[in-house]
Amino acid sequence: MTVERIYNFSAGPATLPLPVLEEAKEEFLSYQGSGMSVLEMSHRSKWIGQIFENAEQNLRTLLSIPKNYHVLFLQGGARLQFAMIPMNFLGGKSSDYILTGSWGKYAVDEAKSQGAVRLAWNGQDDNFNRVPKSSELDLDKNAAYVHYTSNETIQGVEFPTEPEVGDVPLVCDMSSDLISRPIDINKYSLIYSGAQKNAGPAGVTMVIIRDDMLSRIPDCLPKMLDYRVHADKKSLYNTPPVFSVYIVSLVTKWLLGEGGLAKVHRHNKEKAQLLYDVIDGSAGFYTVHATPESRSLMNVTWRLPSEELEKEFIEAAKAKGLSELKGHRSVGGIRASIYNAMPREGVESLSQFMTQFQQDKG
Ligand SMILES: *Cc1c(COP(=O)(O)O)cnc(C)c1O
């Protein structure tokens, strides 16, 4: 039986690599001869132990994660990290936030409930259409940490490289662009990422944390909110979301088979360029939200001349199997999320559709 699949441009939960879905289907009823589904297994079983080991090892290989970093698989989404980070690391000090979009704003609001927050940069007045240069940052040398969002999934603005913050620990929300390109882990004290954008299904949040950060944690926290507990128990303190971690292990294995992150990054740049080229060549029919230096490779966001036309665009695209292109409800317009798993053919179809739509309606 052949199954009809669409091109799904959803921002998250998002499209997964077809080979991963097929592998999961293949071993769904009996995982590696166990006679059980991964969904039915004790998290203390050898199989789940191996799945966690594989997921961690694959991430370590893909990202060249040094030994002095822990890789954790937690629950509560990136949203819980917004709170856990200040709870664990503020230590009575103030924190700096570089604010480049909606997710950063949520992170700031949550941190404010825990202590002092300064904005080292605020892109709100520019309608969050760009990221700052490091020279524009107003940093506090004594801050407990600097937090930024490498890719603002809603606005479609992405840091081309990490900001320079001196000796202050750098903390990053990479929910929508972790494992989309190589990064220098050594520049970070903590990276977190909800899996459901670029790495797997909802339910698991990956945290990469440098070992020395654990010594800053106060003793008053509930165990589930204390990174030391999860590092000590290797993410098996409570019952973890085993199936989500299993899919992450398959996605990361697939990426290694694709040739690693340098190659994946090149593909991602080419895919994004296909869309930005149509937009730039449209003589103003399509207008991109982000400024050229801040354009996201993961979420391309743009407008049409009217909301009427945007509605028509989304409907007509859907009829051609190009689905989930509506922009986030808070900003409107169009958003095409083109994570690692979106094949180049999907982006090519969309770019051809855009050109045709302009010819018909422009
Ligand atoms: C989706 C998203 C979040 C929220 O993730 P949850 O897992 O729903 O908590 C946070 N930050 C960024 C950058 C995101 O894209």
Side-chain angles (χ1 to χ4, degrees):
M1 187 182 81
T2 50
V3 178
E4 201 62 45
R5 302 249 316 154
I6 54 162
Y7 289 121
N8 169 11
F9 293 93
S10 168
T15 196
L16 286 164
L18 191 55
V20 165
L21 296 177
E22 279 166 348
E23 189 171 350
K25 178 183 169 195
E26 197 57 43
E27 53 194 17
F28 187 70
L29 294 182
S30 174
Y31 179 70
Q32 303 200 343
S34 65
M36 295 181 274
S37 171
V38 171
L39 287 171
E40 304 169 301
M41 286 180 168
S42 163
H43 55 299
R44 310 289 175 201
S45 67
K46 66 172 184 195
W47 294 285
I48 299 298
Q50 191 60 52
I51 284 170
F52 273 61
E53 187 62 32
N54 292 348
E56 172 170 350
Q57 270 315 319
N58 293 347
L59 281 168
R60 284 191 182 275
T61 307
L62 280 171
L63 288 160
S64 305
I65 300 175
K67 284 211 168 61
N68 61 325
Y69 286 76
H70 303 270
V71 177
L72 308 179
F73 299 102
L74 307 184
Q75 297 179 69
R79 293 250 194 194
L80 185 58
Q81 297 303 305
F82 294 167
M84 267 176 83
I85 287 159
M87 292 171 98
N88 279 263
F89 303 123
L90 264 184
K93 293 214 253 180
S94 165
S95 53
D96 274 359
Y97 280 70
I98 303 170
L99 184 52
T100 55
S102 304
W103 288 114
K105 246 171 110 171
Y106 290 123
V108 166
D109 285 346
E110 201 74 282
K112 277 183 178 161
S113 76
Q114 299 301 317
V117 175
R118 279 175 77 253
L119 291 187
W121 193 79
N122 183 355
Q124 183 137 37
D125 288 347
D126 293 329
N127 203 16
F128 295 131
N129 69 354
R130 70 179 186 98
V131 302
K133 295 191 206 55
S134 290
S135 59
E136 293 177 274
L137 300 177
D138 168 25
L139 294 167
D140 169 8
K141 289 198 304 297
N142 298 313
Y145 59 85
V146 184
H147 178 284
Y148 82 108
T149 313
S150 52
N151 182 59
E152 279 287 357
T153 320
I154 291 174
Q155 280 78 14
V157 301
E158 185 173 23
F159 281 79
T161 183
E162 53 279 302
E164 294 295 333
V165 300
D167 294 332
V168 178
L170 186 59
V171 171
C172 185
D173 177 0
M174 284 195 201
S175 290
S176 49
D177 66 348
L178 184 69
I179 60 173
S180 71
R181 57 179 172 177
I183 48 170
D184 182 358
I185 297 285
N186 288 296
K187 296 204 164 137
Y188 298 89
S189 294
L190 189 154
I191 293 168
Y192 63 100
S193 174
Q196 71 271 21
K197 310 294 166 56
N198 197 31
V204 63
T205 306
M206 297 162 290
V207 174
I208 302 166
I209 180 170
R210 206 176 58 220
D211 186 59
D212 63 273
M213 292 298 282
L214 299 178
S215 64
R216 299 174 181 235
I217 299 171
D219 285 327
C220 58
L221 296 176
K223 287 197 171 56
M224 275 299 284
L225 303 181
D226 185 328
Y227 290 110
R228 290 176 302 190
V229 173
H230 297 294
D232 186 40
K233 302 289 183 199
K234 296 205 144 299
S235 307
L236 296 169
Y237 171 61
N238 72 318
T239 313
V242 292
F243 198 81
S244 296
V245 175
Y246 163 63
I247 299 293
V248 169
S249 79
L250 296 185
V251 169
T252 47
K253 183 174 82 172
W254 171 75
L255 285 172
L256 288 167
E258 291 290 291
L261 294 189
K263 205 156 161 201
V264 166
H265 187 207
R266 201 158 66 240
H267 288 164
N268 286 335
K269 281 195 276 199
E270 288 166 8
K271 284 188 302 183
Q273 201 57 48
L274 285 171
L275 299 185
Y276 288 120
D277 280 348
V278 174
I279 294 169
D280 290 340
S282 73
F285 182 72
Y286 298 117
T287 51
V288 61
H289 178 72
T291 63
E293 334 48 77
S294 304
R295 290 174 173 184
S296 172
L297 300 185
M298 299 280 98
N299 314 94
V300 181
T301 56
W302 71 93
R303 308 288 320 223
L304 273 74
S306 70
E307 283 183 24
E308 231 11 80
L309 273 173
E310 285 169 351
K311 266 203 200 110
E312 260 188 69
F313 179 95
I314 291 160
E315 284 311 310
K318 193 167 176 187
K320 291 222 172 323
L322 306 166
S323 190
E324 312 298 319
L325 285 161
K326 195 172 187 311
H328 190 271
R329 59 192 183 280
S330 64
V331 295
I334 313 290
R335 171 173 57 176
S337 297
I338 50 172
Y339 303 119
N340 291 346
M342 172 57 68
R344 186 187 167 95
E345 300 79 65
V347 183
E348 277 167 357
S349 298
L350 176 57
S351 73
Q352 283 154 13
F353 170 80
M354 289 167 73
T355 304
Q356 188 61 49
F357 188 85
Q358 182 180 4
Q359 267 167 25
D360 296 346
K361 308 281 174 176

